[in-house]
């Protein structure tokens, strides 16, 4: 159980880091702010909707169907987002990032 939770934590952290890096590489500074605001909107609304949807599933079906629903959502996400994501960091941006003093 602990190993599964650790894998889940690494996956959740990887998504957070990758999304912000992809958006930063793909958009200009003004568009980055706009895109991240939409992403944060979805990330803040999802925990509000999840208990309601879980309650509807629980009232309509048995509690086992909550896990079936989660498995279906995971399969849909793998199909939609399972493709390789192309490199988003252009050479110009990479040189700019490397030349900054960190």
């Amino acid at each position: 159980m602990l190993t599964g939770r650790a894998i889940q934590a690494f996956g959740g952290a990887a998504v957070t880091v990758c999304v912000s890096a992809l958006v930063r590489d793909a958009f200009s500074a003004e568009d980055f702010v706009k895109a991240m605001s939409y992403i944060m909107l979805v990330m803040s609304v999802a925990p509000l909707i999840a208990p309601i949807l879980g309650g509807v599933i629980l009232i309509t079906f048995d509690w086992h169907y909550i896990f079936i629903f989660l498995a279906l959502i995971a399969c849909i996400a793998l199909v939609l987002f399972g493709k390789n994501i192309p490199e988003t960091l252009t050479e110009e941006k990479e040189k700019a990032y490397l030349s900054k003093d960190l």
Side-chain angles (χ1 to χ4, degrees):
M1 187 67 116
L2 289 175
T3 303
R5 292 293 288 173
I7 292 170
Q8 185 181 23
F10 282 121
V15 167
T16 304
V17 171
C18 289
V19 165
S20 62
L22 287 170
V23 172
R24 183 193 66 211
D25 292 344
F27 295 106
S28 65
E30 295 84 22
D31 293 335
F32 169 78
V33 173
K34 191 175 184 180
M36 284 305 291
S37 68
Y38 287 130
I39 291 168
M40 295 308 291
L41 174 70
V42 170
M43 289 176 68
S44 63
V45 170
L48 298 173
I49 295 173
I52 296 169
L53 186 59
V56 169
I57 293 171
L58 189 59
I59 290 171
T60 308
F61 303 106
D62 193 28
W63 65 270
H64 297 93
Y65 285 92
I66 293 174
F67 294 101
I68 293 170
F69 179 75
L70 289 173
L72 286 174
I73 293 295
C75 289
I76 290 170
L78 284 174
V79 168
L80 292 177
F81 306 114
K83 300 176 185 175
N84 290 333
I85 298 173
E87 180 62 52
T88 57
L89 184 62
T90 61
E91 288 186 28
E92 296 85 24
K93 286 186 179 182
E94 183 179 10
K95 288 178 185 176
Y97 291 142
L98 292 175
S99 67
K100 290 182 182 179
D101 293 327
L102 299 176

